[in-house]
Amino acid sequence: MPRTPYIAANWKMNKTVAEAAEFIDTLLPRIAATQSDVVVCPPFTALTAVVERRYGTAVKVAAQNMHEESAGAFTGEVSAPMLVELDVEAVVLGHSERRQYFGETDEALARKVVAALAADLEPILCVGESEAARDGGETEEVLERQLQTDLGGVEGADLSRVVIAYEPVWAIGTGRTATAEQAQETCAFIRDVVRMRGGAADDLRILYGGSVKPANAAELLSQPDVDGALVGGAALDPEDFAGIVEAAG
Ligand code: PEP
């Protein structure tokens, strides 16, 4: 069965509640005919505003992070049950900004992926190599290490409940995009790693992220192993984001 395209908007630390509401009200009529999974990832403070507006539509809501424990003395953190209570369906885990600025480790991510799945939240697990690793020919080694550790607690059919976002660090927010060939080759490699772990790799959705825009989306999304996009900058504008959703068909 063909994989349903998956287009996600990562707003990062952008948009107040009022701005989030305005975005969703503009976006919904523009994407009414889409057959794709459309996911919006607002900051924690705007989750409820987006959840309430998307009821009855195809839009799913994802948080941008969560803690691996359900509750406890972790000041400033939010847990999977707290997100589920808000009717949030998914969570971004391991975004490179969290790895780089907040010390997110692969070991913590392995626990977060398990906790998200246990709470019935769809993990959107981000992996990707630095520019130095790509230039040094170490892309596959880096990705394999991230995937083996981050997915260490997930087996069998559960592997395809995870959405994987391939986000080369050198392409995030830089305006530099991986070529369609690079995106295809690397997403196919990721699928092979999951296949070797015993997952139903043909069901797994793998997204490309890194300076996706309406102008380059169609070419990237036409690659056989690129099942969608995780979009940052271009997802702040509802018209641009709708253009990317349209490109997915
Ligand atoms: C991202 O934040 O996940 C991302 C891919 O950002 P951008 O589209 O701005 O490169």
Side-chain angles (χ1 to χ4, degrees), residues 10 12 95 97 126 167 171-175 209-212 230-234:
N10 175 19
K12 313 192 186 196
H95 191 281
E97 287 152 14
C126 302
E167 297 214 308
I172 297 179
T174 59
S211 301
V212 177
L230 180 54
V231 188

Side-chain angles (χ1 to χ4, degrees), residues 98-181:
R98 295 219 53 90
R99 292 176 187 260
Q100 188 179 347
Y101 304 134
F102 303 101
E104 185 98 274
T105 64
D106 287 307
E107 289 68 28
L109 283 167
R111 296 190 291 272
K112 290 186 182 197
V113 172
V114 170
L117 289 172
D120 226 4
L121 277 178
E122 181 171 72
I124 306 170
L125 174 66
C126 302
V127 294
E129 81 286 4
S130 65
E131 186 163 27
R134 164 104 8 209
D135 291 347
E138 292 160 13
T139 298
E140 294 191 351
E141 193 183 316
V142 168
L143 291 173
E144 178 150 16
R145 191 170 55 234
Q146 290 175 341
L147 289 165
Q148 296 292 14
T149 310
D150 300 353
L151 296 175
V154 189
E155 284 175 6
D158 276 348
L159 282 164
S160 49
R161 293 174 62 205
V162 180
V163 172
I164 297 182
Y166 166 54
E167 297 214 308
V169 177
W170 47 272
I172 297 179
T174 59
R176 284 178 64 195
T177 314
T179 63
E181 293 70 32

Side-chain angles (χ1 to χ4, degrees), residues 7-86:
I7 310 294
N10 175 19
W11 287 350
K12 313 192 186 196
M13 194 174 72
N14 291 293
K15 297 201 188 290
T16 61
V17 167
E19 289 164 346
E22 195 184 334
F23 178 102
I24 296 297
D25 291 346
T26 309
L27 178 73
L28 289 178
R30 292 278 280 102
I31 61 161
T34 187
Q35 300 296 311
S36 301
D37 284 346
V38 178
V39 182
V40 176
C41 317
F44 289 129
T45 46
L47 285 170
T48 296
V50 177
V51 164
E52 284 172 352
R53 274 174 175 74
R54 71 75 214 257
Y55 282 125
T57 75
V59 171
K60 293 205 278 190
V61 182
Q64 298 175 16
N65 181 35
M66 58 167 240
H67 195 273
E68 68 255 35
E69 297 290 339
S70 300
F74 301 103
T75 301
E77 293 289 322
V78 167
S79 73
M82 293 171 185
L83 297 173
V84 169
E85 186 188 34
L86 299 182

